[in-house]
Amino acid sequence: MNAVAHKLCMLGDFGVGKTSLVARFVHSTFSEKYLTTVGVKVDSKEVALPGRAPMKLVVWDIAGRSQLDSLNMTYLRGASALLLVADGTRERSLHAALNLLMQSRTLLPDATIALAVNKLDLVEQWEVAPAALAELRRSLPVHETSARSGAGVEAAFADIATRLAQ
Amino acid sequence: MTSPSFPSVPSRVSTYLCELFWQRVRALLLTFDAGWRLRDIRGDAIYYGVDGSNPGQSVQMLRDLFIGLSIDEPQDLPFVELPNGTSAHLHLIPDRDAFHVLLLDAAAERDRQRATQQLGNEQALASQAKSKAIGQLKQIRTELERQHAKLEEAHALKNALIATLSHEFRTPLTSIFGYLQLADRRAHGDASLHEALHAVRRNATYLFTLAENLLEYGRSDGAAPLLNPTPVDLDALAADLDAMFRPLAEEKGLDFRVSLTIDDVEQPVFDEIRLRQILVNLLSNAVRYTRHGEIAAEIVWRGGELSAVVSDTGIGIAAAHRDTVFMPFNRGGHAGRKGAGLGLSIVRRMVDQMRGTLAFESEVGRGSAFRVTLPCGRERAAAHADDAIAPRFWLQGRSILVADDDTDIAHLLEALLGDLGFRVRVVGDAQSAVVEAIAGRPDVLLIDVELSGLSGNAAVYKLRSRGYKGRIVTLSATATSEAREAALRAGADHYLTKPLNVEQFVHVMQQAASAGWNGGGDGSVGA
Ligand SMILES: Nc1nc2c(ncn2[C@@H]2O[C@H](COP(=O)(O)OP(=O)(O)OP(=O)(O)O)[C@@H](O)[C@H]2O)c(=O)[nH]1
Ligand SMILES: [Mg+2]
């Protein structure tokens, strides 16, 4: 039997680590080198959910933008989940992620959403204050992640998968 | 919809153009029936990594790309990176009860776009990093300037200290030498030898007191010194003061008087060293700033309270300096004379420590009178004994979660904290610390920064970003201010460095435990 497939889009400013998070999640790899994504790269992974049939997450790693352009909109169509990504060392990228969230809401009003604040391994250099995330948590699930160390990555995707399954 | 038509060209040309275009875009056409069963495949399958003889995986990949999209409408997905690294523009073209998926090569265009985008992104990141670095440099510069100013101040203070030291030591030393000379002259078994040697000892005591002053001044405000109340022989104290200052006063041609009134039968209990320091400092100021007239000390022990008034007919203190006379190294205190030094600031501090009062009246050119009242130290002595056990008493039953992956250190901390009265729980990694802290709400979380895996700072950050309100103390082997700031920014309340300074450790633990969860908020935490 084929696992149910869901389309999950990674959205966030450039360089925040979308590609790296997908690489960590799908292939358990990480590269220090930055190679910007053009267009979209699609990967998929089956996620085992306790007490449920496995689910296939089809992950769309979309080129980073701080604003939704028409190309991004094209990619978003048909998505049932959004993983917004920000880089903890760049406060601006958090604003970008929230901005993208607002803009994509009209297009995907029912999408399952989570925010990953990435580069937790660099927490000493973070500009995003813990209180800011505490505040955000009131309105959406937030995960601190590190694509580099792997911390929180599995949990972020599992959170989305679990909520998609409900 | 009208289909676009080629301009009328000879059919040979149109065929040629068609072939050329087909080659250039490296088109691959896959035709499916409505159930995604592959009917036909035409074009450069290998280039796109599609195995023509076994296309199952590729079909699944293509299917995934159109999840959530209708196959009854044309779809257009530009720049899709394929598993083999090429890039394609994907088109879905419905065709009655079937549909086609057309792949057109986008690799060259993608590479060109990537080169520009990469450059742009890297420049943007670099300029953000640059402005951040500039900001940090500015901060460092301000910090350096601040430290520089502080150093200069400290330097000035040090110089003033030394000046004062030498100044203050000169007088008693002169006296010591004087008496020693006397002792020399009458060395042959005379009774006055005895007295002379007494004088030497008294002055040595005076020097000792001064040294104490300096020590007292150098002591940090944080560590409140312990009082040591003992029964005081006021007669002996008065006699000592008389013997110490009369020669100095008489040398300057001043009248000198020490009076003592004892109304209470009960013996006074005070920290004697401090009491002496207070009186010696007041009298030595009086002698220094008085050129003619008299100096008097009136000591009264009455109603469980000791009062002492030291008055002089000296130069006095201008009203403008009333507020600053008790500050260290204040110069203007005594009508602009140099060398006012530490005396009055020490007096102020000691009187405060002994919970007494200090007041003065003064008129420029007529003199000053300082009044000190000190409550008997007996209750203080008792209260003080309580103080010593109090911390342990109120730490009793407080809970603490220790996160350290070095078992030796964890054991040491466990023992130390147990001695302080804490209920201790130990975990070996940062993630467990996050989970346990949220579940167990300990009064204090003590966490090592340099944990393997998730770092202590990351754990603290995660807790704070979940609204965790408990006290957090981080422990680190790095003693730099950057490391400290990073830890505090992540949300720690205190930052301790290894090797542990036990006194400081205890102090911080007491502080943290007493603050507890009173930091505000309802303390509820979401996982
Ligand atoms: N230290 C650290 N670096 C990371 C982490 N995640 C990504 N990076 C680095 O950040 C840079 C950008 O990562 P990418 O994953 O390419 O970022 P992206 O969001 O896909 O960027 P675009 O494709 O341009 O939108 C790379 O140099 C990565 O190595 C992380 O968790 N920790
Ligand atoms: Mg990318």
Side-chain angles (χ1 to χ4, degrees), chain A residues 13-20 22 34-39 41 61-64, chain B residues 114 117 121:
Chain A
D13 210 343
F14 64 85
V16 295
K18 297 178 295 298
T19 303
S20 305
V22 176
Y34 174 37
L35 184 63
T36 186
T37 307
V38 170
K41 176 150 198 304
D61 172 22
I62 300 174
Chain B
R114 175 179 279 161
Q117 186 175 310
N121 290 1

Side-chain angles (χ1 to χ4, degrees), chain B residues 409-428:
Chain B
I409 297 207
H411 281 143
L412 171 72
L413 291 172
E414 196 173 2
L416 258 167
L417 292 162
D419 280 353
L420 281 173
F422 278 105
R423 274 185 292 119
V424 190
R425 209 178 135 52
V426 179
V427 293

